């Protein structure tokens, strides 16, 4: 069997479980919020209109969210917490998940093949590339941690005087 088909199938199962699980967690969180002290806030007319709009028109957003990076989880959670009906959600999940799996399977295998050829034909160049990538990632992490730990410049001389 073709490796792209196997990879796409495995990714499809993974995305169905992950996105479907996120939808279920959202559904449970929404149900809990409806029974909590926030029940009054989420039963306002404005909120209920937004909920109805998501229930009715959210399926295309869910399907297209699989073509983005970082928005899929939010879209699936929101669809669950806003109680999108399963007959609308599941087709969006199946179509969007299939698109996601195919994109990642083809692109992922392509990248792995290029890396495999690079290491096979020019091992030193491949190792150097990986080392440079790791150093860059470490540099970014160190920079962000130092920047987060540094005191803000807004409260120095003006507050002391």
């Amino acid at each position: 069997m073709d490796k792209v088909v196997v990879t796409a199938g495995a990714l499809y199962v993974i995305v169905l479980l992950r996105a479907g699980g996120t939808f279920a967690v959202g559904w449970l969180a929404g149900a809990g919020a409806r029974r909590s002290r926030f029940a009054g806030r989420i039963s306002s007319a404005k909120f209920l209109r937004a909920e109805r709009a998501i229930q009715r028109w959210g399926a295309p957003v869910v399907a297209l969210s699989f073509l983005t990076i970082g928005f899929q989880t939010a879209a699936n959670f929101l669809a669950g917490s806003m109680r999108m009906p399963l007959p609308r959600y599941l087709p969006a999940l199946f179509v969007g998940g299939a698109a996601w799996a195919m994109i990642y399977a083809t692109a992922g295998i392509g990248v792995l093949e290029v890396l495999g050829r690079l290491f096979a034909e020019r091992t030193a160049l491949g190792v150097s590339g990986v080392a440079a990538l790791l150093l860059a990632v470490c540099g970014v992490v160190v920079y962000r941690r130092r920047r987060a730990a540094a005191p803000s410049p807004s409260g120095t001389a003006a507050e002391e005087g």
Side-chain angles (χ1 to χ4, degrees), residues 102-126:
M102 287 305 298
I103 289 169
Y104 275 82
T106 55
I109 288 194
V111 167
L112 289 176
E113 286 177 351
V114 167
L115 288 175
R117 260 189 260 127
L118 178 65
F119 277 101
E121 295 171 7
R122 303 199 176 191
T123 306
L125 183 62

Side-chain angles (χ1 to χ4, degrees), residues 4 7 9 15 21 32 62 66 74-75 106 108-110 120-122 155 157:
V4 173
T7 304
V15 78
V62 169
F66 288 96
T106 55
I109 288 194
E121 295 171 7
R122 303 199 176 191

Side-chain angles (χ1 to χ4, degrees), residues 4 8-9 22 27-28 33 43 55 60 67 76 83-84 90 129 134 143:
V4 173
T22 303
W27 189 282
L28 293 172
S43 62
Q55 290 172 353
L67 303 178
N76 284 283
R83 299 184 296 188
M84 181 184 291
L90 290 177
L134 287 174
Y143 172 77

Side-chain angles (χ1 to χ4, degrees), residues 62-106:
V62 169
L64 291 174
S65 75
F66 288 96
L67 303 178
T68 67
I69 296 174
F71 181 62
Q72 302 170 28
T73 303
N76 284 283
F77 184 85
L78 184 61
S81 66
M82 295 290 192
R83 299 184 296 188
M84 181 184 291
L86 285 177
R88 291 187 188 268
Y89 174 75
L90 290 177
L93 172 64
F94 294 146
V95 170
W100 180 89
M102 287 305 298
I103 289 169
Y104 275 82
T106 55

Side-chain angles (χ1 to χ4, degrees), residues 17-18 21 28 38 41 46 49 70 78 95 107 117 151 160:
L17 292 173
R18 180 179 57 93
L28 293 172
F38 299 111
R41 291 183 188 160
K46 193 179 226 182
R49 271 194 315 274
L78 184 61
V95 170
R117 260 189 260 127
E160 293 173 8

